[in-house]
């Protein structure tokens, strides 16, 4: 599913639409509108307006509209962004290679002939206006050591579960969490509140480094650990057989030798 690295790629692609006037909004699937939003409301907010900027908080993509409103795009399990017929990323694990027109959920057409389209086969994403950002924790790519310490402090939940909780840290998904904890040498099952200050500091730096690396490599599935998420998978660092279990409700792989 799209995690922070994918949505960051979508954000960069979406910047191509900044400053272009919206001609019309097509909603083949009104079910994709969330939070009481209607096709008429979305059309009124966008038609004749321009995007001033695209930002990202965790896995939420935000388009600032020149009238002061804010478009929110969520990509669920299978959503991708297409601008002017071009997709942000190729070869995504969760996106079928073929393109069925029925998967197009919203099309924002610009008067210059181009478009910004959300394609989502499983339609678990959605469109909102002025989404409530108060429900999201600090963005993982920019979180500070103090913010991460606050997100973990006092918690007896498994460390990985806390990282996946979008209200604590926004943007970390299953693959990114496993890659980060593997690289930081931390056991995903440890109580989140048990980390020493030096471990929180190390974890914070590792979150930033792994995200920057995965963005550069082109997706959350391009980590060093991901290729070993299989029976007989071995730790790329020390060769130990990896352990698989369910942590925080998600399938989790880690190294029993160097992750403590
Ligand atoms: Zn190892």
């Amino acid at each position: 599913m799209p995690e922070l690295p994918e949505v960051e790629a979508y954000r960069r692609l979406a910047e191509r639409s900044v400053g272009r006037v919206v001609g019309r909004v097509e909603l083949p699937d009104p079910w994709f509108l969330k939070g009481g939003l209607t096709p008429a409301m979305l059309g009124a907010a966008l038609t004749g307006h321009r995007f001033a900027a695209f930002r990202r908080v965790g896995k939420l993509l935000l388009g600032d509209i020149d009238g002061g409103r804010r478009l929110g795009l969520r990509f669920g399990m299978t959503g991708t962004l297409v601008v002017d017929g071009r997709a942000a990323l190729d070869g995504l694990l969760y996106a079928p290679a073929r393109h069925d027109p029925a998967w197009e959920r919203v099309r924002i057409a610009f008067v210059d002939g181009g478009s910004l389209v959300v394609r989502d086969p499983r339609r678990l994403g959605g469109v909102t206006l002025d989404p409530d950002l108060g429900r999201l924790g600090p963005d993982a790519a920019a979180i500070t050591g103090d913010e991460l310490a606050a997100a973990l402090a006092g918690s007896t939940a498994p460390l990985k579960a806390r990282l996946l909780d979008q209200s604590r840290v926004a943007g970390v998904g299953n693959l990114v969490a496993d890659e980060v904890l593997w690289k930081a040498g931390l056991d995903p099952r440890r109580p989140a509140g048990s980390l020493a200050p030096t471990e929180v500091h190390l974890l914070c730096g590792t979150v930033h480094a792994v995200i920057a690396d995965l963005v550069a490599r082109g997706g959350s599935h391009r980590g060093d650990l991901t290729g070993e998420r299989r029976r007989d998978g071995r730790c790329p660092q020390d060769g130990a057989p990896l352990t698989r279990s369910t942590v925080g409700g998600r399938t989790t792989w880690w190294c029993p030798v160097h992750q403590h």
Side-chain angles (χ1 to χ4, degrees), residues 235 238 255 258:
C235 174
D238 52 45
C255 172
H258 87 269

Side-chain angles (χ1 to χ4, degrees), residues 71-160:
L71 181 73
L73 297 176
R74 293 185 182 279
F75 298 93
M77 299 284 285
T78 57
T80 57
L81 191 74
V82 180
V83 176
D84 300 334
R86 177 180 149 184
L89 296 163
D90 291 322
L92 292 172
L93 284 182
Y94 51 83
R98 70 190 179 90
H99 295 310
D100 186 331
W103 295 335
E104 195 171 302
R105 306 300 172 189
V106 56
R107 170 180 288 265
I108 297 169
F110 301 106
V111 295
D112 62 19
S115 61
L116 182 150
V117 170
V118 176
R119 195 182 272 163
D120 187 356
R122 289 185 61 185
R123 71 200 294 246
L124 293 169
V127 178
T128 55
L129 268 183
D130 307 323
D132 178 11
L133 301 183
R135 293 186 188 175
L136 291 172
D139 181 72
I143 194 169
T144 67
D146 286 347
E147 288 170 337
L148 184 58
L152 304 178
S155 173
T156 56
L159 176 56
K160 179 177 175 181

Side-chain angles (χ1 to χ4, degrees), residues 182 235 237-240 242 255-259:
W182 170 75
C235 174
Q237 185 175 309
D238 52 45
L242 295 176
C255 172
V257 169
H258 87 269
Q259 289 182 248

